[in-house]
Amino acid sequence: MDEIEVEYCTEADLDDPVFVEGLPGVGHVGKLVAEHLIEEADSTRIARVYSEHFPPQVGIDEDGVASLAHAEIYAIETEGRDLVVLTGDHQAGDSMGHYHLAAAFLDEAERQGADTVYALGGVPTGELIEEYSVLGAVSEESIREELEAVGVEFRSEEPTGGIVGTSGLLLGLGGRRGFDAACLMGETSGYLVDPKSARAVLEILQDRLNFEVPFEALDDRAEEMEEVINRLQDMEEAQSPGSGEDLRYIG
Amino acid sequence: MDEIEVEYCTEADLDDPVFVEGLPGVGHVGKLVAEHLIEEADSTRIARVYSEHFPPQVGIDEDGVASLAHAEIYAIETEGRDLVVLTGDHQAGDSMGHYHLAAAFLDEAERQGADTVYALGGVPTGELIEEYSVLGAVSEESIREELEAVGVEFRSEEPTGGIVGTSGLLLGLGGRRGFDAACLMGETSGYLVDPKSARAVLEILQDRLNFEVPFEALDDRAEEMEEVINRLQDMEEAQSPGSGEDLRYIG
Amino acid sequence: MDEIEVEYCTEADLDDPVFVEGLPGVGHVGKLVAEHLIEEADSTRIARVYSEHFPPQVGIDEDGVASLAHAEIYAIETEGRDLVVLTGDHQAGDSMGHYHLAAAFLDEAERQGADTVYALGGVPTGELIEEYSVLGAVSEESIREELEAVGVEFRSEEPTGGIVGTSGLLLGLGGRRGFDAACLMGETSGYLVDPKSARAVLEILQDRLNFEVPFEALDDRAEEMEEVINRLQDMEEAQSPGSGEDLRYIG
Amino acid sequence: MDEIEVEYCTEADLDDPVFVEGLPGVGHVGKLVAEHLIEEADSTRIARVYSEHFPPQVGIDEDGVASLAHAEIYAIETEGRDLVVLTGDHQAGDSMGHYHLAAAFLDEAERQGADTVYALGGVPTGELIEEYSVLGAVSEESIREELEAVGVEFRSEEPTGGIVGTSGLLLGLGGRRGFDAACLMGETSGYLVDPKSARAVLEILQDRLNFEVPFEALDDRAEEMEEVINRLQDMEEAQSPGSGEDLRYIG
C-alpha cells in the first residue's frame, strides 16, 4: 500500500460542486452533518481514501465484516449546488500525516471540479448552549460577506487557539492553493455528541447553497442525546440523594 | 539493515497452506496458540523478519546469547491443511510500522502459496470467563458460514472498538489484496495470560482445518495460571485479614 | 506542499545584516524582542516559512481570516547593523523537524548575506527576578569578548541542561556551517511572559549593533503583566482569606 | 546536515583494535568506564558523530561555548589490545534512530579494523550492591568461554527484559554483520550513578584485553557518591526524626 491510496468506486458527473468536509472532531458536529447529508440526499460513494497515517485498525460492521480504516468521499446532487462530501471515522495520527492527507483531500476536490471548500466542525464553549450560533473563518476576506449574509458569525481572532487538524489544514493549505475555503463551526458545549449544533451548521449550509434535506433524523438523534443527558443527571442525583433538588436548579 | 529484512532459513514445500498469525496481544491468546502449534506439531522455521519498526532490543536465551528483535515464520505440515505460522515477541512500535510490517507478512504468506489468513487473538471481556467463546471477524461475508459451522460466533459490530494492530491489518490489508482473511478472537478477561482461551481458539482452528495436536502442554499452562491466580488471591486476603471470608465469596 | 516551503514576499537589500531569531520559548523573551523590533523599527516582511513539521493548524486574525502555521522573516534597516529577524508562533513538533527547520533558517540567513546569528531566548531561574541579567553562549570563543563588552554574562557550563530547540540548533548547526552564532538569554522566572527580561535582551542587542528603538510598547506590556500578577495574587488571597496578610510578605 | 554525519578529526593507526561502547544508560556504568579510559589512557579523538536522531540541543562548556549534540570516537593505544572507544551524552530519541545510529557506529568499528565489539552498561538489581558482579551476553556462544575465564557471569535468560538501546543493537546488529559482540553489564542498584560498578566492568575489560589504567579517579568518584548517599540519608532522617534509628538499620 502507498502512503495514501485512493480507491475510486463510481464516476460522478457533478456541476460546479462544493467540497464539504465532516470528519470526527469537537461534538462530532462536522461528521454528523456529513453523515446526515449522505443519508438524506441523493448520494453516491465515489472514493475511499486509505492511508498509513490512519490508525492500524479495522472497523467491524453488523455482519462481522472488517473494513480497513479509511475516509470516504460521496457525490451529492441537490436542487442547488452539488456537493462532494468527505467523511470517515479517523483523522491522521501524526502531524505530517495531517498535512499529507489534507493535500490528498484537496487533490480529490480538484479532481471533482470543486473550487470552494467548506470544512465543518464544532467550536467548544465549555457551557451548555441555548442558542446555537455558527462561527466562521475564511481563507480570504472576500468570502466572508456571503457567509455573514446567511447568518455565520465572525469574531476577531476566534477560535482563540486557531483551528487544528484536517479542517484547519483545508483552510490553510486550500487557501494557499487558490480554493475559496471556509470553516463553519457550530457552537457546542464540547462534552457530548451534539446533533443540535449539527442542525445549526446544516441550516447555514442549505441557505448558502440553496438545497434542502429533511431534518427529522437529526432531530431524532438530538432527542436521544437529551435522554442520555437526563439519564446521566438522574444517575448523578441517585448517587448524591441529599443534594438532588439543588442539582435540578443547576442542570 | 533495510527497513524490513526477511532472512530465509529453510525452504518449505507446503500444500495449499493457511497463514496463521499469533503475535503478542490481549491475554497473549494468539501467541500461545502459535507457540503451542510450533512445539506440538511437525514444524520447521522458514524465516526471521527483522525491522527497525520493532523495538531497539535484543532478547537473551538460556546460554546468554542475544538475538535481535524479530518475528518468526514456521512451516507446519499436518494431516489436514498445512500451516504457515507467524509469531514473535513484538509488534511494531508506530502506526506506519504496523502497516509496513503487515504488508511484509502478507508478502510472505503469498510467497508460501497461502490464500487464506487466520489472525489469532483475544478479545477482553473485563470479567472472569466461564465458557470460552471465540468471536470472529472476516474480510468477506462469504467466509463467515464455514467459521460459524465450527462454532465461531459473530456479533454485530463487535469488537466495539474494531481490531487494532497486526491482526486488524492482516484482515484489512489482506482483504484488499484478495486474501480470504479472518480474525479468531478468544474471549478472555484481559487481565492475565490466558491458556484456556488459547485452547478454545485452537479447538476451532483444528475443527476448521482438520488436524489435531495434543492439548496437554496448554492445559498444564492453564493449571499454572490457576495457581498464580490463587496465590494472588491469598496474598490479597493476607493483606486484609478481616475481610478474608468476604473475598472468597466475591473472587 | 514540500516538507519545508519558503514563500518570498519582498526582496530586501540589506548591508551586512545580522540574523536574529525570536521564536516562542521560555518567558516568550525571544519572541517579545523580535516582535518589538518588527513593530518599532523600519521592517519589511521578506519571507514566510511553511512546514509539515509545524502543527497542523491555522491561526485566525481579527477579520476571521485563517493563516497556515508558519514562521516569518523580516528585513529591518537600522542606523547601525541591519537585521534579518525570524519570528513566528510555532517551533517544530519533532526532533527531526527541529534539525531540518534550523537548517532552512540558516539557508535564509545565508541568502540575505548574514554571517552572524543571534538566537534570542529566556533562561528560567525559578524565582522572581530583581535584576535582569542576560546570559550568553557562543559557537566560538572568539565571539565572547565583544558580547561581554556590552554586558552579556558567561557562566561555566550554564544553562546546565544546555539549550534546546531552534535557538540551540542555530548555535550548534550555525557554528558548524561557519556562522558566528550566539545565544542571548534573558533571565526570567519562567512562569510568565516576561517583557522586562525582553527589554534587558533588547538593550544588549542595541548596544552590540548600534541601533535604537523606543522601549515604550515593551514597558507598557511589562505594566500589563504586573497587573496580571497582582490580580492573580488578589485572587489567591481571596481564596484563603485568613492567610491574606502572610501572603503579602511572601509575594 | 545528513541524517547521520561523521566528522573525522585525526587518523589513527591501531593494531587489531576492539570497539568499546559506553553511552549513557543504567547507573551511567558504560559511560563512566569509557570516560575513565579516555582520560587515563593515551587517547586521541578520531571522530564526532552528529545526527538528527539526537535531541535538538547544544551543550555548553566551561567557556560558554556550545557544541551540537553528538557522540565521540577515540583511539586508545594500550600495552595490550588497542581500543576504539565510543561515548557521548545522548542516545537516539526514536526507535528507527537507534537502528540507524547503531549501524553507523558499526561502520566506524569496521573502518578502524575492529572485528570485536564490547558494549558496556549496567544492569539494575533494585537493591544496594555488596559485591559487584558483571553479567554478560554474547552474539555467539563461542565468545562466552573467554569472558567467563575473566569472571563474567552468564545467567539463563538474563537480563529478563533483554537489552535495550545502543548496547542491545550493537550486540544484535553486530552479530548479524559478523562481529564478535558482547555486552558487559555491571550490577548496580539502578538508582544512582555508580562508579563502583564501573570499576568492576573496567577490571574485567583489563583482564580480557591485557592493559592497565590507574583506578584512582574512579575510586574518587565512588567516594563522592558515598558522600552524596550519606547526605541523602541524613536529610531523610532529619525529616522524620523519630524514626531515625530504625532507618539506619534499613539503609
Side-chain angles (χ1 to χ4, degrees):
Chain A
M1 203 178 95
D2 295 330
E3 184 196 351
I4 294 171
E5 213 168 282
V6 184
E7 184 183 286
Y8 295 103
C9 314
T10 330
E11 280 296 319
D13 185 25
L14 298 172
D15 181 31
D16 184 26
V18 173
F19 189 81
V20 173
E21 172 261 333
L23 289 174
V26 181
H28 274 221
V29 175
K31 185 168 152 69
L32 283 172
V33 177
E35 283 182 343
H36 187 76
L37 282 170
I38 290 161
E39 276 157 38
E40 300 294 326
D42 177 20
S43 69
T44 322
R45 179 163 47 210
I46 52 178
R48 287 188 189 86
V49 183
Y50 297 91
S51 171
E52 62 190 36
H53 296 294
F54 286 135
Q57 194 174 341
V58 289
I60 308 297
D61 74 9
E62 64 273 17
D63 297 316
V65 178
S67 61
L68 185 60
H70 66 282
E72 295 186 320
I73 302 177
Y74 288 82
I76 296 184
E77 290 184 71
T78 82
E79 69 276 17
R81 283 282 282 279
D82 287 345
L83 310 175
V84 177
V85 174
L86 168 74
T87 191
D89 290 331
H90 307 281
Q91 294 232 3
D94 57 314
S95 175
M96 196 182 78
H98 268 298
Y99 276 89
H100 292 197
L101 274 166
F105 295 149
L106 290 168
D107 289 346
E108 294 311 307
E110 222 163 80
R111 198 174 181 276
Q112 300 299 334
D115 55 12
T116 301
V117 170
Y118 289 158
L120 311 183
V123 60
T125 63
E127 298 168 4
L128 292 184
I129 312 268
E130 294 293 311
E131 226 173 295
Y132 285 83
S133 301
V134 173
L135 185 65
V138 289
S139 62
E140 304 241 352
E141 211 180 333
S142 60
I143 316 167
R144 189 176 147 164
E145 199 176 342
E146 67 201 34
L147 290 170
E148 285 180 317
V150 293
V152 178
E153 289 183 23
F154 285 81
R155 300 183 199 137
S156 180
E157 302 188 11
E158 285 200 27
T160 319
I163 303 168
V164 180
T166 306
S167 291
L169 288 186
L170 289 178
L171 212 55
L173 289 174
R176 290 194 72 217
R177 276 169 66 163
F179 285 90
D180 283 350
C183 194
L184 304 176
M185 294 158 279
E187 285 194 330
T188 174
S189 70
Y191 303 130
L192 293 158
V193 171
D194 195 341
K196 283 191 181 166
S197 179
R199 182 179 168 148
V201 171
L202 182 54
E203 285 174 3
I204 294 278
L205 204 65
Q206 290 194 353
D207 277 11
R208 178 72 195 89
L209 302 176
N210 299 310
F211 69 88
E212 262 179 50
V213 292
F215 287 127
E216 282 74 20
L218 217 43
D219 292 340
D220 290 351
R221 290 185 81 155
E223 265 175 53
E224 284 168 36
M225 281 311 297
E226 292 286 316
E227 280 167 41
V228 169
I229 294 168
N230 289 337
R231 267 201 305 273
L232 286 174
Q233 284 179 331
D234 289 349
M235 278 165 62
E236 213 169 288
E237 283 169 31
Q239 284 177 331
S240 53
S243 60
E245 254 172 286
D246 301 333
L247 263 172
R248 259 176 228 125
Y249 285 106
I250 297 166
Chain B
M1 204 180 94
D2 295 330
E3 185 197 350
I4 294 170
E5 214 167 281
V6 183
E7 185 183 285
Y8 295 102
C9 315
T10 329
E11 280 297 320
D13 185 26
L14 298 173
D15 180 31
D16 185 25
V18 173
F19 188 81
V20 173
E21 172 261 334
L23 289 173
V26 180
H28 274 222
V29 175
K31 184 169 153 65
L32 284 171
V33 177
E35 284 182 343
H36 187 77
L37 283 170
I38 290 161
E39 277 158 38
E40 300 294 328
D42 177 20
S43 67
T44 321
R45 179 161 48 211
I46 53 178
R48 288 189 189 86
V49 182
Y50 297 91
S51 170
E52 62 190 36
H53 296 293
F54 285 135
Q57 195 173 338
V58 288
I60 308 298
D61 73 10
E62 64 273 19
D63 297 314
V65 178
S67 61
L68 185 60
H70 66 281
E72 295 186 319
I73 301 177
Y74 287 82
I76 295 185
E77 290 183 72
T78 82
E79 69 276 16
R81 282 282 282 278
D82 287 344
L83 309 175
V84 177
V85 174
L86 169 74
T87 190
D89 289 331
H90 307 282
Q91 295 234 1
D94 57 314
S95 175
M96 196 183 76
H98 268 299
Y99 277 90
H100 292 197
L101 273 167
F105 296 148
L106 290 168
D107 289 346
E108 294 310 307
E110 222 162 78
R111 197 173 182 277
Q112 300 299 336
D115 55 10
T116 301
V117 170
Y118 289 157
L120 312 184
V123 59
T125 62
E127 298 168 4
L128 292 184
I129 312 268
E130 295 292 312
E131 225 173 297
Y132 285 83
S133 302
V134 173
L135 185 65
V138 288
S139 61
E140 304 242 353
E141 210 180 335
S142 60
I143 316 167
R144 189 178 147 164
E145 199 177 342
E146 66 201 32
L147 290 170
E148 285 179 318
V150 292
V152 179
E153 289 183 22
F154 286 79
R155 300 183 199 136
S156 179
E157 302 187 12
E158 285 198 28
T160 319
I163 303 168
V164 180
T166 305
S167 291
L169 289 185
L170 290 178
L171 212 55
L173 289 174
R176 291 193 69 219
R177 276 169 67 164
F179 285 90
D180 282 350
C183 194
L184 304 177
M185 294 158 279
E187 286 194 329
T188 174
S189 69
Y191 303 130
L192 294 158
V193 171
D194 194 340
K196 283 191 182 165
S197 180
R199 182 179 166 145
V201 171
L202 182 55
E203 286 175 4
I204 294 279
L205 205 64
Q206 290 193 353
D207 277 10
R208 178 74 195 88
L209 303 176
N210 298 311
F211 68 88
E212 261 179 54
V213 291
F215 287 128
E216 282 73 22
L218 217 43
D219 291 340
D220 290 350
R221 291 187 81 156
E223 265 174 55
E224 285 169 35
M225 281 310 298
E226 291 286 316
E227 279 167 41
V228 169
I229 294 168
N230 289 337
R231 267 202 304 274
L232 286 172
Q233 283 179 332
D234 289 349
M235 280 165 62
E236 213 170 288
E237 281 168 34
Q239 284 178 334
S240 52
S243 60
E245 254 172 288
D246 301 333
L247 263 171
R248 259 177 226 122
Y249 286 106
I250 297 167
Chain C
M1 204 179 93
D2 294 331
E3 186 197 350
I4 295 171
E5 213 168 284
V6 184
E7 185 184 285
Y8 296 102
C9 314
T10 329
E11 279 296 320
D13 185 24
L14 298 173
D15 181 31
D16 185 26
V18 172
F19 189 80
V20 173
E21 172 261 332
L23 289 173
V26 180
H28 273 222
V29 174
K31 185 169 152 67
L32 283 171
V33 177
E35 284 181 345
H36 187 75
L37 282 171
I38 290 161
E39 275 157 38
E40 300 294 327
D42 178 19
S43 69
T44 321
R45 179 163 47 214
I46 54 178
R48 286 189 190 86
V49 182
Y50 297 90
S51 172
E52 63 190 36
H53 296 294
F54 286 135
Q57 196 174 338
V58 289
I60 309 297
D61 74 9
E62 65 273 17
D63 298 315
V65 178
S67 61
L68 185 60
H70 66 282
E72 295 186 321
I73 301 177
Y74 287 82
I76 295 184
E77 289 184 71
T78 81
E79 69 276 15
R81 282 283 284 277
D82 287 345
L83 310 174
V84 177
V85 174
L86 169 74
T87 190
D89 289 331
H90 307 281
Q91 295 233 2
D94 57 314
S95 175
M96 197 183 78
H98 268 298
Y99 277 90
H100 293 197
L101 274 167
F105 295 150
L106 291 169
D107 289 345
E108 294 311 306
E110 222 163 78
R111 198 175 182 276
Q112 301 298 334
D115 55 11
T116 301
V117 170
Y118 288 157
L120 312 184
V123 59
T125 62
E127 298 168 4
L128 291 185
I129 312 270
E130 295 293 312
E131 225 173 298
Y132 284 84
S133 301
V134 173
L135 185 65
V138 289
S139 61
E140 303 243 352
E141 210 181 336
S142 60
I143 315 166
R144 190 176 146 164
E145 199 178 340
E146 67 202 33
L147 290 171
E148 285 180 316
V150 293
V152 178
E153 290 183 22
F154 285 80
R155 300 184 199 134
S156 180
E157 302 188 13
E158 286 200 27
T160 319
I163 304 168
V164 179
T166 306
S167 291
L169 289 186
L170 289 178
L171 212 55
L173 288 174
R176 291 194 71 219
R177 277 169 64 164
F179 286 90
D180 282 351
C183 193
L184 304 177
M185 294 158 280
E187 286 194 331
T188 174
S189 70
Y191 303 131
L192 293 159
V193 172
D194 195 340
K196 283 189 182 167
S197 179
R199 184 180 166 146
V201 171
L202 183 54
E203 285 174 4
I204 295 278
L205 204 64
Q206 290 194 353
D207 277 10
R208 178 72 195 89
L209 302 176
N210 298 311
F211 69 87
E212 262 180 50
V213 292
F215 286 128
E216 282 75 19
L218 216 45
D219 291 340
D220 290 351
R221 290 186 81 156
E223 267 176 51
E224 284 170 36
M225 281 310 297
E226 292 284 317
E227 281 168 40
V228 168
I229 294 169
N230 289 338
R231 267 202 303 274
L232 286 173
Q233 284 180 328
D234 290 349
M235 278 165 62
E236 212 170 289
E237 284 169 30
Q239 284 177 332
S240 53
S243 61
E245 254 172 287
D246 301 332
L247 263 171
R248 259 177 226 124
Y249 286 105
I250 297 165
Chain D
M1 204 179 94
D2 295 331
E3 185 196 350
I4 295 170
E5 213 167 283
V6 184
E7 185 184 285
Y8 295 102
C9 315
T10 329
E11 279 295 321
D13 185 25
L14 298 172
D15 181 32
D16 185 24
V18 172
F19 189 81
V20 174
E21 172 261 333
L23 288 173
V26 179
H28 274 223
V29 175
K31 184 169 153 67
L32 284 171
V33 177
E35 284 181 344
H36 187 76
L37 282 170
I38 291 162
E39 275 157 39
E40 300 295 327
D42 177 19
S43 68
T44 322
R45 180 162 47 212
I46 53 179
R48 286 188 189 87
V49 182
Y50 297 91
S51 171
E52 63 190 36
H53 296 295
F54 286 135
Q57 195 174 339
V58 289
I60 309 297
D61 73 9
E62 64 273 17
D63 298 315
V65 178
S67 61
L68 186 59
H70 66 283
E72 295 186 320
I73 301 176
Y74 287 82
I76 296 185
E77 290 184 71
T78 81
E79 70 276 15
R81 281 284 281 279
D82 288 344
L83 309 175
V84 177
V85 174
L86 169 75
T87 191
D89 290 331
H90 308 281
Q91 294 233 3
D94 58 312
S95 175
M96 196 183 77
H98 268 298
Y99 277 89
H100 292 198
L101 274 166
F105 296 149
L106 290 169
D107 290 345
E108 294 310 307
E110 222 163 78
R111 197 174 182 277
Q112 300 298 335
D115 55 10
T116 301
V117 170
Y118 288 158
L120 311 184
V123 58
T125 62
E127 297 168 4
L128 292 184
I129 312 268
E130 294 294 312
E131 226 174 297
Y132 284 84
S133 301
V134 173
L135 186 64
V138 288
S139 62
E140 303 242 353
E141 211 181 334
S142 60
I143 316 166
R144 190 177 145 165
E145 199 177 342
E146 66 202 33
L147 291 169
E148 284 179 318
V150 292
V152 178
E153 289 183 23
F154 286 80
R155 300 185 199 134
S156 178
E157 302 188 13
E158 286 199 27
T160 319
I163 304 169
V164 180
T166 305
S167 291
L169 289 185
L170 289 179
L171 212 54
L173 288 174
R176 291 194 71 218
R177 275 169 66 165
F179 286 90
D180 282 350
C183 194
L184 305 177
M185 293 159 280
E187 286 195 330
T188 173
S189 69
Y191 304 131
L192 293 158
V193 171
D194 194 340
K196 282 191 181 166
S197 180
R199 185 181 163 144
V201 171
L202 182 54
E203 285 174 4
I204 294 279
L205 205 63
Q206 290 193 353
D207 278 9
R208 178 73 195 91
L209 303 176
N210 298 312
F211 68 89
E212 260 180 53
V213 292
F215 287 129
E216 282 74 20
L218 217 44
D219 291 340
D220 290 351
R221 290 187 80 157
E223 266 176 52
E224 285 169 34
M225 282 310 299
E226 290 286 316
E227 281 168 38
V228 169
I229 293 168
N230 288 338
R231 269 202 304 274
L232 287 173
Q233 283 179 331
D234 289 349
M235 279 166 61
E236 213 170 288
E237 283 169 31
Q239 284 178 334
S240 54
S243 61
E245 253 172 287
D246 301 332
L247 263 171
R248 259 177 227 124
Y249 287 106
I250 297 166

